[in-house]
Amino acid sequence: MNRVVTITVAAALSSLAFAGASRAESLGMNTAHGIEQTLRTFQGNDFNVEQVHNWRNLDDETTGPRSAPERSGQAIRGIQASIDANRSLARRLNNEGVDVRNIVNAEQAADGSLTFYVR
């Protein structure tokens, strides 16, 4: 009986540990450091490209989503440098007609896909 209880407790603690790690990763995946790390290692083809609206003119509703937060100049350069460091990703974006210098944000979805925001 003690063996069953011990195994049950160990299984419960293991699942809590994995749940905590998964949640922590999801909270940080779109921070400046998190997205840069993802872009440096991204190997998939599951990405899309969207135009962003003009952040300086908030009346401009026709050129893109409001959901893409504006990144600082340093964060934008970090995103672009991370893409440049991942030659296969840079090549795939280029094949889609995307100039890396026009990318101003990137976000990773929970399913692992990426969205690149261009101006």
Side-chain angles (χ1 to χ4, degrees):
M1 183 69 171
N2 283 340
R3 188 192 232 169
V4 173
V5 171
T6 302
I7 291 172
T8 303
V9 170
L13 290 174
S14 294
S15 63
L16 287 174
F18 284 120
S22 174
R23 179 146 170 86
E25 182 175 303
S26 67
L27 291 175
M29 71 185 183
N30 284 313
T31 62
H33 177 71
I35 196 67
E36 288 175 20
Q37 184 176 15
T38 298
L39 293 172
R40 288 180 189 281
T41 60
F42 185 74
Q43 295 299 317
N45 288 318
D46 192 11
F47 65 83
N48 62 350
V49 179
E50 294 189 22
Q51 293 287 124
V52 294
H53 72 279
N54 181 349
W55 285 309
R56 310 272 185 265
N57 179 6
L58 296 180
D59 294 334
D60 181 6
E61 297 280 344
T62 61
T63 58
R66 284 195 170 275
S67 62
E70 185 173 9
R71 300 256 187 189
S72 69
Q74 181 179 0
I76 292 170
R77 287 187 297 280
I79 287 171
Q80 293 170 351
S82 297
I83 294 169
D84 287 339
N86 184 339
R87 297 247 184 245
S88 62
L89 176 58
R91 190 176 319 111
R92 288 191 300 268
L93 285 166
N94 187 44
N95 290 343
E96 295 289 325
V98 177
D99 181 355
V100 174
R101 299 298 148 237
N102 290 334
I103 295 175
V104 295
N105 201 349
E107 291 182 330
Q108 184 177 21
D111 67 0
S113 64
L114 293 174
T115 300
F116 294 98
Y117 296 96
V118 297
R119 57 184 153 166

